[in-house]
Amino acid sequence: PDSDEGYDDEYQLEDIEVAVADYVQRVMKGNFGAAWEELGQENELEDTFSLPFKTLEEAVKNIVVYLGLQPCERSDKVPEGKSSHTLLLSGVFRGGHQVLVRTKLALSDGVAMQLTVRAEDSMVAEIMTTAVA
């Protein structure tokens, strides 16, 4: 070609998967209960899910990895022989929005989970809640 336009470039792009964990940073909360109360119920969302895991330990591990939040108060350790457990998670969502998650887990046919999210921003609470669905 004699013009300055040149040729159209073509690039092969690989598929990538972006998860909610890519948008959060883990932040440890020394006193989860106080932080939970401080955030208040204004931007709180709650939902119940049935998870396909056979043990509470497996559910806890996968929830922590999937949401990308920091387990608080050693709640990522499930006491032996328990059929229910509460997992407490904290972090900061992109843009500096604090987010706290409380999951109540119970063994049934798989694992039943009641997920409660509190955040400084209502959109963040909605994103974290719907990410599990």
Side-chain angles (χ1 to χ4, degrees):
D2 294 332
S3 69
D4 291 333
E5 291 179 31
Y7 294 103
D8 288 338
D9 289 335
E10 288 187 29
Y11 298 98
Q12 178 93 18
L13 297 178
E14 300 295 324
D15 289 339
I16 62 167
E17 213 170 282
V18 179
V20 71
D22 298 320
Y23 290 91
V24 297
Q25 180 177 0
R26 294 172 172 225
V27 175
M28 176 57 88
K29 290 287 179 195
N31 186 338
F32 184 88
W36 184 261
E37 291 307 316
E38 187 179 314
L39 264 183
Q41 295 181 2
E42 183 180 345
N43 295 317
E44 178 179 294
L45 288 176
E46 189 171 283
D47 208 342
T48 304
F49 302 92
S50 180
L51 305 177
F53 305 115
K54 300 210 180 320
T55 66
L56 293 175
E57 292 83 359
E58 187 183 6
V60 165
K61 183 177 138 206
N62 280 278
I63 293 165
V64 169
V65 169
Y66 186 75
L67 292 180
L69 296 170
Q70 177 67 43
C72 296
E73 300 178 8
R74 302 179 67 137
S75 64
D76 55 330
K77 307 288 186 242
V78 179
E80 211 170 303
K82 289 280 195 172
S83 61
S84 63
H85 183 70
T86 300
L87 173 64
L88 309 172
L89 303 167
S90 69
V92 175
F93 194 83
R94 185 175 180 200
H97 304 289
Q98 181 178 317
V99 60
L100 300 173
V101 173
R102 181 182 65 204
T103 65
K104 293 182 177 179
L105 306 166
L107 279 175
S108 56
D109 296 336
V111 176
M113 176 179 75
Q114 180 184 24
L115 177 80
T116 309
V117 178
R118 286 188 180 181
E120 291 176 328
D121 182 280
S122 61
M123 275 301 262
V124 172
E126 188 173 335
I127 290 167
M128 295 303 287
T129 304
T130 57
V132 178

